[in-house]
């Protein structure tokens, strides 16, 4: 790997560390400031919506400035608002600060992945994106352990304790910012100039639509466990909150194994059949969970669902680059990120309504249907320049 890619992976680690420390304590901080759970949900809805639409200014700016400038700008946009987290005290201020953080994160994921992916051979991109998820999720495990360990050593009131951890997340974000600068390889031409000189390859318009559908439905499927896993466990089984937390605490470790497994399978098979394979496994697991299985079986299937999700994510990022010419790969990756989170936001409203009515089985069925549609749509994204009716599917990433 080129040296900037190592800085990209190190920066991804500290981004995951900042996000995890912040995620663990922010809800408790809001409650301590007198913000109800309903208002907290409104804050997250506004911030997630801002993240989904941030792709528009990102792509507009990409017509006039280099990818290096975009990446550094997104890093600053992500990092600086962390300094304001310990001081927000209302729904409005928390919404603004969180919206800026998530918008910067979308820029980091879009531009950073595009720059890093362009610096490795096509055959190594699944391994690259798998390593990204390993760094990101591994930082999550360390961040959770840090919060748990340090929390017992701090003998202050709850509000000061939460402020300390939010400032700690700001420090991690600053380290991420420092590492992002050498990870941003200089791009001599602006995106607009390159786009005007690069001819559109066959099937790209179709690929954009298919990628949008694939990412949206995959984001909608996994949103059930990202947002409502604790609700599912409490509705189906009579277990305590502490037991549920213990179950959910192992999810990042299992997810890391999913990211490790993705390039192994792609090396043995090919990219698109692997996507369908993981998608079908996810559907089968979700359907089995809806049959009122014993708790231990449900836990195993829950962990397998996370495993399959992080097998699919590196493949989705690889597909987002393989289906488009280099001049439009930043656009395709930004579309993948935006659609994934937008699909999750829409699905969260659907799952919330179903679970409010106690219809947890229907929520699992909806998630299964979304996983099936998303994985099948991902398999329909063709390589750049490949005509879907005349050229057979190539085995990409053979040596990943």
């Amino acid at each position: 790997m080129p040296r900037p890619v190592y800085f990209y992976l190190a920066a991804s680690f500290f981004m995951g560390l900042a996000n995890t420390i912040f995620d663990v304590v922010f809800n408790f901080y809001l409650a301590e400031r007198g913000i109800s759970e309903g208002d907290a949900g409104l804050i997250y809805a506004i911030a997630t919506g801002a993240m989904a639409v941030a792709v528009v200014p990102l792509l507009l700016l990409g017509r006039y400035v280099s990818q290096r400038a975009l990446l550094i700008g997104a890093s600053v946009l992500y990092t600086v608002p962390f300094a304001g987290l310990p001081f927000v005290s209302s729904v409005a201020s928390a919404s603004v600060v969180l919206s800026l953080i998530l918008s910067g994160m979308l820029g980091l994921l879009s531009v950073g992945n595009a720059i890093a992916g362009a610096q490795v051979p096509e055959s190594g991109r699944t391994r690259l994106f798998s390593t990204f998820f390993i760094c990101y999720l591994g930082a999550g495990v360390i961040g959770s352990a840090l919060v748990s360990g340090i929390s017992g050593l701090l003998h202050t009131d709850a509000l000061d304790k939460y402020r300390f951890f939010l400032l700690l997340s700001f420090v991690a974000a600053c380290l991420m910012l420092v590492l992002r600068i050498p990870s941003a390889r200089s791009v001599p031409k602006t995106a607009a100039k390159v786009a005007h000189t690069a001819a559109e390859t066959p099937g790209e318009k179709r690929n954009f639509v298919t990628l949008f559908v694939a990412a949206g439905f995959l984001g909608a499927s996994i949103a059930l466990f990202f947002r409502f896993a604790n609700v599912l466990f409490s509705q189906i089984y009579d277990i305590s909150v502490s037991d549920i937390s213990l179950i959910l605490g192992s999810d990042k470790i299992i997810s890391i194994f999913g990211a490790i497994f993705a390039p192994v399978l792609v090396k043995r098979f090919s990219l698109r059949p692997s996507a369908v394979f993981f998608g079908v496994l996810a559907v089968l697991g979700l359907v089995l969970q809806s049959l009122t299985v014993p708790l231990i079986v449900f836990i195993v299937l829950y962990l397998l669902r996370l495993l399959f999700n992080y097998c699919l994510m590196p493949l989705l990022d690889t597909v987002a680059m393989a289906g488009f010419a280099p001049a439009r790969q930043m656009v395709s990756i930004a579309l993948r990120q935006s659609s994934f989170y937008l699909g999750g936001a829409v699905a969260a409203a659907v799952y919330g309504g179903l679970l409010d009515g106690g219809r947890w089985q229907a929520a699992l069925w909806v998630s299964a249907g979304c996983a099936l549609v998303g994985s099948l749509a991902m398999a329909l994204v063709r390589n750049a320049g490949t005509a879907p009716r005349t050229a057979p599917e190539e085995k990409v990433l053979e040596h990943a």
Side-chain angles (χ1 to χ4, degrees):
M1 289 185 186
R3 190 179 179 192
V5 174
Y6 288 104
F7 284 105
Y8 155 78
L9 294 173
S12 300
F13 173 87
F14 283 103
M15 183 173 72
L17 190 63
N19 281 348
T20 300
I21 295 173
F22 149 71
D23 282 338
V24 169
V25 304
F26 192 56
N27 282 344
F28 300 122
Y29 170 79
L30 293 177
E32 200 68 26
R33 297 304 297 258
I35 297 175
S36 67
E37 292 183 359
D39 288 338
L42 177 61
I43 291 169
Y44 284 112
I46 293 172
T48 304
M51 183 182 190
V53 301
V55 66
V56 177
L58 175 68
L59 296 181
L60 290 176
L61 286 172
R63 296 179 61 86
Y64 304 104
V65 299
S66 69
Q67 289 186 352
R68 175 181 172 83
L70 279 177
L71 183 61
I72 295 174
S75 301
V76 173
L77 179 62
Y78 173 81
T79 301
V80 172
F82 269 94
L85 283 175
F87 308 104
V88 297
S89 57
S90 65
V91 173
S93 60
S95 298
V96 171
V97 171
L98 192 56
S99 295
L100 291 173
I101 290 174
L102 294 185
S103 297
M105 182 174 161
L106 179 89
L108 289 173
L109 293 173
S110 301
V111 187
N113 288 8
I115 291 176
Q119 296 183 69
V120 299
E122 187 178 0
S123 60
R125 286 176 184 163
T126 296
R127 184 168 52 185
L128 169 68
F129 293 128
S130 293
T131 307
F132 161 78
F133 282 109
I134 292 168
C135 292
Y136 187 86
L137 295 168
V141 175
I142 294 173
S144 298
L146 280 175
V147 173
S148 177
I150 296 175
S151 182
L153 301 175
L154 294 178
H155 302 291
T156 61
D157 60 71
L159 185 59
D160 288 339
K161 185 181 294 187
Y162 299 145
R163 280 176 168 166
F164 169 79
F165 284 118
L166 291 175
L167 286 173
L168 190 60
S169 68
F170 172 59
V171 173
C174 289
L175 292 173
M176 185 280 307
L177 174 59
V178 172
L179 290 166
R180 283 288 180 184
I181 296 174
S183 78
R185 187 184 65 174
S186 181
V187 180
K189 294 183 180 180
T190 65
K193 291 178 182 178
V194 176
H196 286 317
T197 58
E200 183 177 303
T201 58
E204 273 197 352
K205 291 181 180 178
R206 174 182 174 276
N207 280 351
F208 273 118
V209 175
T210 310
L211 178 64
F212 182 84
V213 172
F217 276 95
L218 289 175
S221 177
I222 198 59
L224 177 63
F225 287 132
F226 277 173
R227 302 296 183 189
F228 301 104
N230 55 345
V231 178
L232 282 171
F233 277 103
S234 63
Q235 284 194 3
I236 304 171
Y237 304 98
D238 185 19
I239 55 178
S240 66
V241 174
S242 60
D243 289 337
I244 294 174
S245 299
L246 182 63
I247 295 168
L248 301 184
S250 60
D251 59 357
K252 287 185 176 64
I253 298 175
I254 297 298
S255 300
I256 289 172
F257 283 103
I260 293 172
F261 189 59
V264 175
L265 190 69
V266 171
K267 181 179 180 180
R268 193 170 183 83
F269 301 100
S270 59
L271 178 63
R272 290 157 186 84
S274 299
V276 175
F277 175 74
F278 286 127
V280 170
L281 288 179
V283 171
L284 291 175
L286 289 163
V287 172
L288 287 174
Q289 284 181 298
S290 70
L291 301 178
T292 318
V293 294
L295 174 60
I296 186 62
V297 176
F298 192 93
I299 293 173
V300 170
L301 292 172
Y302 161 71
L303 295 176
L304 285 175
R305 177 66 187 97
L306 295 175
L307 182 84
F308 299 148
N309 177 68
Y310 282 98
C311 286
L312 283 169
M313 290 302 97
L315 304 184
L316 181 61
D317 286 324
T318 306
V319 164
M321 293 197 72
F324 305 90
R328 285 171 287 279
Q329 284 176 349
M330 193 189 81
V331 178
S332 65
I333 293 177
L335 180 71
R336 167 264 191 266
Q337 300 291 346
S338 179
S339 179
F340 184 85
Y341 289 104
L342 182 61
V346 172
V350 175
Y351 295 140
L354 291 173
L355 293 173
D356 279 342
R359 293 177 289 171
W360 58 269
Q361 287 176 313
L364 287 165
W365 293 334
V366 171
S367 181
C370 290
L372 181 62
V373 173
S375 58
L376 292 177
M378 187 163 62
L380 295 176
V381 179
R382 302 296 176 182
N383 283 358
T386 302
R389 292 186 180 180
T390 59
E393 182 177 355
E394 297 182 44
K395 181 180 178 181
V396 298
L397 308 177
E398 187 173 348
H399 303 291

